[in-house]
Amino acid sequence: MPQSRTLYVGFDVHKESIAVAYIAQAPHAEVVSLGNSGTRQCDIDKLIRRLQSKSPHLVFVYEAGPCGYWLYRYLTKKGQGCWVVAPSLIPKKPGDRGKTNRRDAITLARLMRSGDLTPIYVPAIEDEAIRDLCRARAEAIRDLKTAQFRLKAFLLRHAIRYTGRVTWGPAHLRWRSEVVCPTPQVQTWRLAPVVDALQALRGVQFTVAVTAVAELGDLTRFENPRQLMNYLGLTPSEYSTGERRRQGGITKTGNSHARRALVEGAWAYRYPAKVSRQRHCALPRQ
């Protein structure tokens, strides 16, 4: 009985590379991994020529993701069959915990041959452009509402209330433009010297220092460093039973704003120190 010479090609598509694997339609054929390919059109053309030397009929498949449908459109324009599948609809074994680009490409090729994949609808370029416009508008409105709620909550915390009838109208916007909060700036803050002193540490600049001091407040309220670490959620988690003691990652149960600022400072600490003359002169010597 003659066997079809179709090759099913699985792609695991990323920004800079594509993991490639293929399998023949024959029942006992094994999956072959071709490694990684580039994402340029010339790289795709080279890959197609290489696969066509093995079989004239190719069927490609890859997961829908942030890279979009450019690969689908390019392959179909070249006369090749291509499927785009939803990641949530790809069958997975319950005990399979491993995930690599190579394994994903192999799985797609194998499932394509077995008929266990369902392609999704790929819109035309014009349809996708209108859809992106509608989604961008909806997201912009959602961001606007979030900003409005945040501003209203800020004014409520300071007991500043609008007495008009309609919010976010012309009258409300004029009232809001005249609101002055009776709170100090960083330069006049009583903890400004602490902010300046923290900037002497490598990796700590103005924003990180202000955020950390604002969230921590007066450091003298902590009796010892352990209390400070507990407040920040930087103490290691512990799973102990009987004579066995096991410590894990940090608890992350404290002040998330201060911890985020300190983590950013730690990221900057990795790079060589660069202290400008202006910053060096502005910082206290002790």
Side-chain angles (χ1 to χ4, degrees), residues 216 218-231:
L216 294 176
D218 189 356
L219 293 177
T220 59
R221 65 192 181 97
F222 299 103
E223 297 181 0
N224 50 61
R226 182 181 296 275
Q227 288 188 356
L228 175 59
M229 293 299 103
N230 291 336
Y231 181 80

Coordinates of all heavy atoms in Angstrom, one line a residue, residues 216 218-231:
L216 N 8.6 52.8 54.5 CA 9.1 52.3 55.8 C 8.9 53.3 57.0 O 8.7 52.9 58.1 CB 10.6 52.0 55.7 CG 11.1 50.9 54.8 CD1 12.6 50.8 54.7 CD2 10.5 49.6 55.3
D218 N 9.7 56.0 59.8 CA 10.8 56.2 60.8 C 11.4 54.8 61.1 O 10.7 53.9 61.7 CB 10.2 56.8 62.0 CG 11.4 57.2 63.0 OD1 12.5 56.9 62.7 OD2 11.1 57.9 64.0
L219 N 12.6 54.6 60.7 CA 13.3 53.3 60.9 C 13.5 53.0 62.4 O 13.7 51.8 62.8 CB 14.6 53.3 60.2 CG 14.5 53.3 58.7 CD1 15.9 53.3 58.0 CD2 13.7 52.1 58.1
T220 N 13.4 54.0 63.3 CA 13.7 53.7 64.7 C 12.5 52.9 65.3 O 12.6 52.5 66.5 CB 13.9 55.0 65.4 OG1 12.7 55.9 65.3 CG2 15.1 55.7 64.9
R221 N 11.4 52.8 64.6 CA 10.2 52.1 65.2 C 10.5 50.6 65.1 O 9.7 49.8 65.8 CB 9.0 52.4 64.4 CG 8.9 52.0 62.9 CD 7.8 52.7 62.2 NE 7.7 52.3 60.8 CZ 6.9 51.3 60.4 NH1 6.1 50.6 61.2 NH2 6.8 51.0 59.1
F222 N 11.5 50.1 64.4 CA 11.8 48.7 64.4 C 12.9 48.5 65.4 O 13.9 49.1 65.4 CB 12.4 48.3 63.0 CG 11.4 48.5 61.9 CD1 11.5 49.6 61.0 CD2 10.3 47.6 61.7 CE1 10.6 49.8 60.0 CE2 9.4 47.8 60.7 CZ 9.5 48.9 59.8
E223 N 12.6 47.5 66.3 CA 13.5 47.3 67.4 C 14.8 46.6 67.0 O 15.8 46.7 67.6 CB 12.8 46.4 68.5 CG 11.6 47.1 69.1 CD 10.9 46.3 70.2 OE1 11.4 45.1 70.4 OE2 10.0 46.7 70.8
N224 N 14.7 45.8 65.9 CA 15.9 45.0 65.4 C 15.7 44.8 64.0 O 14.6 44.9 63.4 CB 16.1 43.7 66.2 CG 14.8 42.9 66.3 OD1 14.3 42.5 65.2 ND2 14.3 42.7 67.5
P225 N 16.8 44.4 63.3 CA 16.7 44.1 61.8 C 15.7 43.0 61.5 O 15.2 43.0 60.4 CB 18.2 43.7 61.5 CG 19.0 44.3 62.5 CD 18.2 44.3 63.8
R226 N 15.5 42.1 62.4 CA 14.6 41.0 62.1 C 13.1 41.6 61.9 O 12.4 41.1 61.0 CB 14.6 40.0 63.2 CG 13.6 38.8 62.9 CD 13.7 37.8 64.1 NE 15.0 37.2 64.2 CZ 15.5 36.2 63.6 NH1 14.7 35.6 62.7 NH2 16.7 35.7 63.8
Q227 N 12.7 42.5 62.7 CA 11.4 43.1 62.5 C 11.3 43.9 61.2 O 10.3 43.8 60.5 CB 11.1 44.1 63.7 CG 10.9 43.4 65.0 CD 10.4 44.4 66.0 OE1 10.4 45.6 65.8 NE2 10.1 43.9 67.2
L228 N 12.4 44.5 60.8 CA 12.4 45.2 59.5 C 12.3 44.3 58.4 O 11.5 44.5 57.4 CB 13.7 46.1 59.4 CG 13.9 46.8 58.1 CD1 12.8 47.7 57.8 CD2 15.3 47.5 58.0
M229 N 13.0 43.1 58.4 CA 12.9 42.2 57.4 C 11.5 41.5 57.3 O 11.0 41.2 56.2 CB 14.0 41.1 57.6 CG 15.4 41.6 57.4 SD 15.8 42.2 55.7 CE 15.7 44.0 56.1
N230 N 10.9 41.3 58.5 CA 9.6 40.7 58.5 C 8.6 41.7 57.9 O 7.7 41.3 57.1 CB 9.2 40.4 59.9 CG 9.9 39.2 60.5 OD1 10.4 38.4 59.8 ND2 10.0 39.2 61.8
Y231 N 8.8 43.0 58.1 CA 7.9 44.0 57.5 C 8.0 44.1 56.0 O 7.1 44.3 55.3 CB 8.2 45.4 58.2 CG 7.3 46.5 57.7 CD1 6.1 46.7 58.2 CD2 7.8 47.4 56.7 CE1 5.2 47.7 57.7 CE2 7.0 48.4 56.2 CZ 5.7 48.6 56.7 OH 4.9 49.6 56.3

